[in-house]
Amino acid sequence: MLSKIDRYFEEVICTICLAVVVGSVLLQVILRYFFSTAAAWAEETAVYGMIFAIYLGATMAVRERAHIRITLLVNRLPRALQVGAVVLADGLWAGFVIFMIVQTTIYTQLLFNVTYMTPGLGIEQRWVQMIIPMAFALMLFRIGQVYWRWGRDGWKGLPL
């Protein structure tokens, strides 16, 4: 069960979020075209669904090592330098992710000091914004997971 969650968590949530986006936009088009009206919540739902899908898609790409990397030069280096270059790049990346976790957590905490209701859905903005630090934390977990699996496999190849 945990292996299925590990493998499909981001895919399932991204699929649901994108289905919400498509459904909201389709509903909005139908309401505007055929009934000359609109649903106030549909646009917000589409925007939040897209935001959730983007951040969770980024964590999925971390797990799959699918982010853009320039490996042409790295592949031409000796093994020790290949490993060093990839580990250095991932270390810088992890540092950026930690920075973003801290900064987005501070931002989210500020939202707990004010009341900001979204106009269409009528929910507190703080709950929507919490996806950002949570997604960066999941991204950091996935970076660590890639290296844990690489070590488990005997440090063969590169953590790509």
Side-chain angles (χ1 to χ4, degrees):
M1 179 69 174
L2 285 177
S3 67
K4 291 218 184 271
I5 292 172
D6 177 51
R7 174 70 183 105
Y8 297 110
F9 175 74
E10 290 93 345
E11 283 95 337
V12 169
I13 302 298
C14 283
T15 302
I16 291 168
C17 289
L18 290 175
V20 166
V21 170
V22 170
S24 297
V25 170
L26 181 64
L27 175 68
Q28 195 74 323
V29 168
I30 291 169
L31 287 175
R32 286 180 187 219
Y33 187 75
F34 293 109
F35 301 104
S36 298
T37 187
W41 54 268
E43 290 178 29
E44 275 185 24
T45 305
V47 168
Y48 295 145
M50 184 59 77
I51 291 169
F52 282 39
I54 288 169
Y55 280 105
L56 290 171
T59 65
M60 181 174 63
V62 170
R63 186 193 69 224
E64 298 296 324
R65 302 301 276 183
H67 281 282
I68 296 173
R69 291 176 172 257
I70 302 171
T71 57
L72 179 65
L73 178 63
V74 172
N75 289 337
R76 296 184 187 276
L77 296 172
R79 167 129 170 94
L81 290 177
Q82 286 179 349
V83 170
V86 170
V87 169
L88 175 64
D90 286 343
L92 292 171
W93 186 17
F96 171 75
V97 169
I98 291 168
F99 172 78
M100 290 304 294
I101 291 169
V102 170
Q103 293 304 312
T104 57
T105 301
I106 291 168
Y107 170 71
T108 306
Q109 288 173 342
L110 291 175
L111 291 175
F112 278 87
N113 296 329
V114 297
T115 301
Y116 177 66
M117 302 293 278
T118 60
L121 295 172
I123 58 175
E124 286 280 344
Q125 184 70 27
R126 65 182 78 141
W127 303 115
V128 176
Q129 294 293 326
M130 286 179 63
I131 187 65
I132 300 171
M134 291 182 344
F136 277 112
L138 182 57
M139 193 178 296
L140 185 63
F141 171 76
R142 293 295 191 186
I143 292 170
Q145 189 178 43
V146 165
Y147 277 84
W148 179 79
R149 288 180 177 157
W150 184 44
R152 185 189 64 194
D153 293 339
W155 311 103
K156 296 176 187 158
L158 292 173
L160 299 174

